[in-house]
Amino acid sequence: MRLFRQAGGDQDRGAFGTVKPMQFKDLEIAMTAAASLVSPWDATTLTLVKPLMDATRNHGQVLLMKDTTHDNREVAVRRMPTRWVRSGPKEFDEKYPTSSEKPWHDVGFVQHLSAVGFPYVCELL
């Protein structure tokens, strides 16, 4: 079973072959799917090259790392503490209802755009 509408069918395309606008329900599905894929940090698969910047509003950092599982390709990683991100979007919203930062929305957008085949989106590792 697929959780996302694919960009290949006529029902999912608007004029000129573009993907239909994302609905909030699409975002909710994508956030839930992404949260279900989260696993503990495995320090053996990513090695630090250098910090790129602090992500103070996310209580974390953006890091340049090498992915040892993919030929040591360089990747940008936004590392945020679990105590802040929580275990999923619902838990985050319950704990931080007024936060202007919505990390699960960010992940959900990327998850959804990737699922519908949008060509200009980063890959979630």
Side-chain angles (χ1 to χ4, degrees):
M1 180 174 104
R2 299 219 47 107
L3 295 176
F4 305 96
R5 294 179 302 185
Q6 292 300 300
D10 291 335
Q11 72 279 6
D12 292 327
R13 294 195 176 271
F16 308 110
T18 58
V19 176
K20 283 185 176 180
M22 183 179 186
Q23 302 298 313
F24 188 73
K25 185 65 177 167
D26 297 324
L27 177 60
E28 288 177 325
I29 292 169
M31 289 187 299
T32 302
S36 73
L37 298 173
V38 172
S39 60
W41 178 268
D42 182 355
T44 64
T45 63
L46 295 168
T47 57
L48 179 65
V49 175
K50 65 180 180 180
L52 295 175
M53 65 182 295
D54 287 331
T56 53
R57 291 174 47 181
N58 286 304
H59 307 278
Q61 290 183 302
V62 177
L63 307 168
L64 178 62
M65 303 188 91
K66 287 195 177 186
D67 183 350
T68 60
T69 63
H70 290 93
D71 297 326
N72 284 323
R73 70 178 172 173
E74 290 187 333
V75 296
V77 174
R78 182 169 63 166
R79 189 171 184 188
M80 300 173 284
T82 305
R83 72 179 186 282
W84 185 72
V85 176
R86 316 304 282 178
S87 61
K90 183 178 181 215
E91 294 79 10
F92 180 86
D93 288 341
E94 287 171 356
K95 180 76 175 175
Y96 305 106
T98 61
S99 176
S100 63
E101 288 296 313
K102 302 286 186 188
W104 287 105
H105 285 202
D106 298 344
V107 172
F109 289 129
V110 171
Q111 178 86 5
H112 178 78
L113 290 171
S114 179
V116 298
F118 187 74
Y120 307 107
V121 66
C122 60
E123 176 186 353
L124 291 174
L125 301 178

